[in-house]
Amino acid sequence: MLGKLLIQDSTKASWNYLVGAFKPPCNIFISFADGRSRKQVPLKKENGKTVMVALFQSQENIVGEVVIEPIQGKKVEHNGVKIELLGQIELYFDRGNFYDFTSLVRELDVPGELYERKTYPFEFSTVEMPYESYNGVNVRLRYILKVTISRNYVSNIVEYQDFVVRNYTPPPSINNSIKMEVGIEDCLHIEFEYSKSKYHLKDVIIGKIYFLLVRIKLKNMELEIRRRESTGSGPNTYVETETLAKFELMDGAPVRGESIPIRLFLSPYELTPTYRNINNKFCVKYYLNLVLVDEEDRRYFKQQEITVYRLLET
């Protein structure tokens, strides 16, 4: 028994030595100059955890500093230090391959040795960040700051800092209503109308459903908000449709001439703006889906695309 315990202790000591051997000889800290005053928003990481990160929009200056702190008693020999600002798209069927649509770099230090804590200021001026951060079913668009300490013979030391980009759109100058008559010949004929076709993320969908002919025994009617995410192209196109909201408009059988009002608030739902052909990699569209269910549980529906945009919050 005693011999076994001694072997375990010896193995543990060797393992601790190996872990220590692979541990980086320094810590890297990345911070924004206005980090305390800048708005923070939640970001879901790959491990499922949610962290708060800084929020930016396109054309802003991204300014801050990098601190490299050697672990006590160690020196860091390097071939240079750099910081990159990267905008990346990752398609989950091609996981691990990042498509960089924005790539800026600043050299922070020339080759040399670090014995003590050193601070490097950095600045990226009026950065073009045309696309919003997005975390979808099959695709992720992210922005990161990446610090790399280049080394000979051993692996480079790398540290990342995520941030989120949101871009704002002024209200559209033209915003036509959606009006349509649909039905089944000699059985059901309805007219539906939505007050507009473009909505901001905190908007309200207002409309009405008018029954012109009812010869089917309907039991309820609801309005759904659906998000359709398309990724890839050609044979590698993947389409995912999510139902984000179901809102009951009517419970019971309608009669001819009846009008049902619609008033649906968008703010409770996790919507993004409509994204059309983002860097030829993906798009995200939204639809209003009107669903009628008869007493035999047959479903009749009519889907209508809407445009969603982000309005600057005052």
Side-chain angles (χ1 to χ4, degrees):
M1 183 69 181
L2 182 61
K4 187 177 180 182
L5 283 170
L6 286 171
I7 291 168
Q8 284 183 331
D9 285 345
S10 172
T11 306
K12 187 176 179 181
S14 300
W15 175 247
N16 285 339
Y17 175 78
L18 282 170
V19 170
F22 288 110
K23 196 173 179 181
C26 64
N27 293 314
I28 303 173
F29 305 98
I30 308 168
S31 60
F32 297 105
D34 55 358
R36 289 175 178 241
S37 58
R38 180 168 289 276
K39 184 176 179 180
Q40 305 277 307
V41 294
L43 175 69
K44 195 171 184 180
K45 303 281 281 183
E46 287 177 290
N47 58 12
K49 293 182 179 179
T50 300
V51 295
M52 299 300 289
V53 299
L55 174 65
F56 290 87
Q57 59 180 303
S58 189
Q59 304 295 331
E60 279 200 83
N61 298 332
I62 297 182
V63 184
E65 63 181 27
V66 174
V67 174
I68 298 177
E69 198 171 67
I71 291 169
Q72 195 168 11
K74 293 192 176 185
K75 70 173 179 178
V76 182
E77 296 181 34
H78 65 86
N79 286 337
V81 181
K82 67 179 179 180
I83 184 169
E84 297 169 271
L85 190 156
L86 301 173
Q88 300 179 325
I89 296 173
E90 181 186 25
L91 301 171
Y92 291 164
F93 63 78
D94 192 17
R95 191 177 281 276
N97 283 334
F98 294 97
Y99 300 90
D100 294 348
F101 57 86
T102 294
S103 179
L104 303 170
V105 63
R106 299 285 183 271
E107 299 293 339
L108 299 180
D109 207 348
V110 296
E113 297 177 347
L114 287 172
Y115 296 93
E116 57 187 6
R117 174 188 173 106
K118 192 169 182 181
T119 301
Y120 303 92
F122 68 85
E123 179 173 356
F124 298 94
S125 301
T126 55
V127 183
E128 181 74 32
M129 296 178 285
Y131 311 127
E132 287 206 358
S133 302
Y134 177 72
N135 205 340
V137 179
N138 284 323
V139 62
R140 174 173 63 148
L141 190 153
R142 67 172 186 168
Y143 289 90
I144 55 170
L145 292 174
K146 176 184 177 183
V147 172
T148 304
I149 301 175
S150 300
R151 300 195 293 171
N152 277 332
Y153 312 120
V154 287
S155 58
N156 296 338
I157 305 170
V158 181
E159 184 65 35
Y160 299 94
Q161 174 63 56
D162 288 275
F163 62 96
V164 164
V165 171
R166 290 179 182 169
N167 292 321
Y168 303 94
T169 305
S173 55
I174 298 173
N175 199 347
N176 296 323
S177 63
I178 299 171
K179 192 172 184 179
M180 194 174 294
E181 290 186 16
V182 294
I184 305 165
E185 192 172 354
D186 296 329
C187 294
L188 178 67
H189 191 185
I190 65 172
E191 183 180 273
F192 67 83
E193 183 177 355
Y194 306 119
S195 61
K196 51 190 177 182
S197 54
K198 299 172 184 175
Y199 298 88
H200 62 78
L201 296 174
K202 307 294 182 185
D203 218 333
V204 185
I205 294 170
I206 296 173
K208 64 178 181 179
I209 313 292
Y210 186 67
F211 288 89
L212 300 168
L213 177 67
V214 186
R215 287 181 181 163
I216 296 175
K217 291 185 177 180
L218 298 172
K219 65 176 183 179
N220 71 292
M221 178 171 64
E222 61 188 21
L223 186 64
E224 298 175 339
I225 301 174
R226 290 186 170 187
R227 174 164 57 213
R228 183 177 296 166
E229 176 191 287
S230 302
T231 55
S233 59
N236 290 326
T237 300
Y238 296 83
V239 178
E240 291 283 347
T241 300
E242 299 173 88
T243 300
L244 304 180
K246 285 187 177 182
F247 182 73
E248 189 173 76
L249 298 173
M250 178 193 74
D251 186 15
V255 296
R256 180 179 176 180
E258 190 167 355
S259 181
I260 307 293
I262 298 171
R263 192 174 183 84
L264 174 57
F265 290 85
L266 297 181
S267 53
Y269 307 109
E270 291 187 11
L271 306 180
T272 68
T274 296
Y275 302 134
R276 302 190 189 279
N277 195 22
I278 301 300
N279 210 49
N280 294 321
K281 293 291 184 286
F282 73 97
C283 63
V284 178
K285 297 180 179 180
Y286 287 90
Y287 297 86
L288 295 178
N289 193 38
L290 183 65
V291 182
L292 296 97
V293 183
D294 69 14
E295 290 186 342
E296 295 177 19
D297 283 328
R298 287 179 297 210
R299 295 166 67 85
Y300 311 89
F301 59 89
K302 181 62 181 176
Q303 194 164 266
Q304 184 67 41
E305 185 180 355
I306 58 171
T307 299
V308 182
Y309 63 96
R310 189 183 300 282
L311 190 66
L312 183 62
E313 298 173 22
T314 54

